[in-house]
Amino acid sequence: MLSTSSKRARSKDYEDALMWLEDAGMIYRIFSISKPGMPISAYEETDAFKVYACDCGLLRRLAHLPASVVTDPIANYTEFKGAMAENAVLQSMMPLMDDQRPYYWTSPGTAEVEFVIQWDDEIIPVEVKAEENITGSSLSVYNKTYSPHYRMRFSMLNLQFNEGLLSSPAPLASWLDKWMSLLK
């Protein structure tokens, strides 16, 4: 993400500003993990992170996106829908994380799981899809590589549980603690 700020800038050039924004509660920095081990914080890669707005309304304003577009199902902002969906799920999950932080995972190829969380003694990958289209191989690549007991997907599909995959409507991301208690 920082590579778009300046061609010659390095993340350390922005570290103080990012820390200030994070301490002020304006952003979340979500770090990459090298693998989903226990404790997950031991596998944090501090040089690879994503920056999210602490609030979807703030993200919308920073992106100069009219509010009417967000609520319009036929609006043409398809590239940004994924970012808004990820931000909304993260915003819903953060108050429930009990001083834990989510991470993200990328494969050596192109697979990326938006969030990986440690919940008690489980490491759970969390995929976010903006609509009903849930195609994509990232969660499958993660599953084949690490065989987690449980996986989660937030999308606009109905609630279902199949073979360790809990699929939940994205607006119910704030029920993360309830979903976790059901999985245990």
Side-chain angles (χ1 to χ4, degrees), residues 4-48:
T4 60
S5 300
S6 171
K7 296 293 181 200
R8 290 173 274 163
R10 295 181 306 234
S11 63
K12 74 175 188 171
D13 296 332
Y14 293 100
E15 186 65 25
D16 288 342
L18 288 168
M19 285 180 61
W20 186 90
L21 289 169
E22 194 171 23
D23 290 345
M26 303 283 295
I27 64 167
Y28 299 120
R29 273 197 294 179
I30 306 301
F31 291 90
S32 178
I33 54 170
S34 56
K35 71 175 196 173
M38 188 74 73
I40 197 168
S41 60
Y43 300 95
E44 179 179 298
E45 296 181 333
T46 58
D47 59 337

Side-chain angles (χ1 to χ4, degrees), residues 46-61:
T46 58
D47 59 337
F49 59 88
K50 294 181 180 185
V51 176
Y52 290 87
C54 66
D55 179 80
C56 289
L58 177 61
L59 176 61
R60 183 191 62 77
R61 290 289 296 157

Side-chain angles (χ1 to χ4, degrees), residues 54-72:
C54 66
D55 179 80
C56 289
L58 177 61
L59 176 61
R60 183 191 62 77
R61 290 289 296 157
L62 289 170
H64 304 286
L65 188 65
S68 59
V69 172
V70 175
T71 59
D72 184 354

Side-chain angles (χ1 to χ4, degrees), residues 54-125:
C54 66
D55 179 80
C56 289
L58 177 61
L59 176 61
R60 183 191 62 77
R61 290 289 296 157
L62 289 170
H64 304 286
L65 188 65
S68 59
V69 172
V70 175
T71 59
D72 184 354
I74 59 171
N76 187 16
Y77 81 112
T78 55
E79 288 80 18
F80 200 66
K81 272 186 185 175
M84 287 292 285
E86 282 182 41
N87 212 98
V89 167
L90 179 63
Q91 181 182 338
S92 296
M93 288 186 344
M94 287 304 290
L96 307 170
M97 294 294 296
D98 265 351
D99 294 329
Q100 294 280 335
R101 70 167 55 197
Y103 296 89
Y104 74 96
W105 172 84
T106 56
S107 71
T110 59
E112 180 179 296
V113 174
E114 286 81 13
F115 305 111
V116 180
I117 61 174
Q118 179 178 328
W119 198 273
D120 294 330
D121 61 344
E122 297 284 341
I123 304 291
I124 301 169

